[in-house]
């Protein structure tokens, strides 16, 4: 089969400037869209949202995509997903977002060719879905409260609060009183020392939080264990959990593995991470970067395998040029998806 491939970069403005601990405020997100077409006019779409935190930029991803897509064209049969993903990984060790975009486009193409939604190709039950959290970035406490109230008004029952300031307790207290019924996740994005983390988690326990994400730097695995062993709240690992080989390392240092397609390098790797995490007794969460539905749509199909979803990347954009899997009142509604593939569809 002769496959035709192409890719282009875009800049996606955010609805609101977005800030997390230790990073600059984001006002727009640079992304790449990859297309892979078969000879019959079927086109698979995938997206990359490279993260500087993981050593990847849109420029470096653009630079390696010709090489990655040459592998796809060389193999020729898009259904040989395992072989292609293995060769992508052998060809480019870094640039997980670039590899993920190719993986998503291939899965979209293959499932469109088979005329099934991606979840069905994976044998998953679309009714076994769950809520995505809606993320409230760091801001003045009052502004965070307003955003939380707005999200609850829009139907979101689960909020994720970014922390990592000297007013973390005040932020959580304010938002808990503004959204008494919401399920709350908090994410410190590596901002605390192990001792600070233990102290803050102690004080946060009264606010009925579902879990605390990445309390300490990823470079401090013993610090993560120190916190985990002393925390009354479940601990999720995000920056400490990048690819499959990290799962055994974090297994006795946290409760929840937070995988992201843009970190791990492909949908098949994500699937391996989910099953490996389960084998190690971990719960599983899938998160995202600020991304378009060209990539988020694919992650939504993992929902039946997850305990937690934080797949709001497209919801934080001022305007997404792609539709994806319907999200209704914060719930990922896979069974409402009326088309084959990942569901990513140009508006
Ligand atoms: Mg996180």
């Amino acid at each position: 089969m002769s496959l035709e491939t192409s890719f282009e970069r875009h800049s996606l403005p955010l609805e609101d400037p977005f800030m997390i601990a230790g990073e600059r405020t984001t006002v727009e997100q640079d992304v790449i869209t990859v297309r892979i077409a078969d000879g019959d006019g079927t086109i698979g779409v995938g997206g990359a949202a490279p993260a500087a935190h993981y050593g990847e930029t849109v420029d470096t991803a653009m630079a390696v995509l010709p090489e990655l897509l040459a592998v796809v064209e060389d193999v020729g049969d898009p259904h040989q997903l395992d072989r292609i993903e293995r060769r992508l990984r052998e060809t480019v060790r870094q640039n997980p977002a670039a590899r993920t975009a190719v993986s998503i486009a291939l899965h979209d193409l293959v499932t469109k060719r088979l005329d099934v939604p991606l979840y069905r190709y994976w044998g998953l039950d679309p009714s076994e879905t769950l809520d995505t959290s809606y993320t409230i970035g760091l801001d003045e406490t009052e502004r965070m409260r307003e955003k939380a109230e707005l999200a609850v008004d829009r139907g979101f029952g689960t909020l994720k609060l970014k922390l990592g300031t000297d007013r973390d307790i005040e932020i959580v207290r304010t938002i808990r009183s503004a959204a008494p019924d919401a399920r709350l996740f908090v994410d410190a994005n590596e901002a605390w020392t192990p001792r600070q983390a233990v102290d803050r988690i102690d004080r946060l326990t009264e606010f009925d939080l579902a879990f605390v994400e990445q309390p300490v730097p990823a470079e401090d695995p013993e610090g993560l264990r120190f916190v985990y062993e002393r925390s009354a709240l479940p601990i999720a690992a995000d920056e400490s959990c990048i690819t499959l080989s990290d799962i055994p390392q974090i297994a006795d240092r946290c409760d929840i593995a937070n995988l992201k397609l843009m970190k791990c390098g492909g949908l098949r790797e994500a699937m391996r991470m989910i099953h490996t995490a389960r084998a190690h007794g971990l719960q599983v969460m899938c998160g995202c970067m600020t991304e378009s539905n060209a990539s988020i749509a694919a992650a939504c199909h993992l929902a039946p395998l997850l305990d937690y979803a934080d797949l709001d990347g497209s919801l934080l954009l001022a305007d997404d040029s792609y539709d994806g899997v319907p999200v209704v009142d914060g719930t990922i509604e896979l069974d409402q998806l009326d088309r084959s593939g990942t569901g990513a569809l140009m508006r």
Side-chain angles (χ1 to χ4, degrees), residues 78-86 106-107 110 121 268:
H79 294 270
Q80 293 184 24
L81 293 164
D82 195 66
R83 180 176 166 206
I84 297 173
E85 284 199 15
R86 196 165 0 106
L106 283 167
H107 280 79
V110 162
Y121 177 75
R268 295 180 67 86

Side-chain angles (χ1 to χ4, degrees), residues 20 54 160 162 187-189 213-214 237-239 258 260 263 285 288 310:
I20 67 171
Y54 299 104
K160 179 158 127 175
K162 292 295 193 178
D187 186 356
N189 286 108
E213 186 173 327
Q214 197 68 42
D238 177 1
E239 287 87 342
N258 182 4
K260 293 179 184 168
K263 293 188 294 190
M285 166 174 177
C288 63
D310 179 27

Side-chain angles (χ1 to χ4, degrees), residues 222-235:
E222 284 317 304
L224 187 62
R225 189 204 300 271
F226 179 89
V227 178
Y228 168 66
E229 286 173 351
R230 288 159 182 80
S231 171
L233 293 171
I235 301 293

Side-chain angles (χ1 to χ4, degrees), residues 272-292:
R272 284 189 289 269
M273 287 181 79
I274 291 172
H275 296 305
T276 306
R278 291 248 179 261
H280 282 84
L282 294 168
Q283 287 196 300
V284 183
M285 166 174 177
C286 183
C288 63
M289 308 298 176
T290 307
E291 300 171 32
S292 124

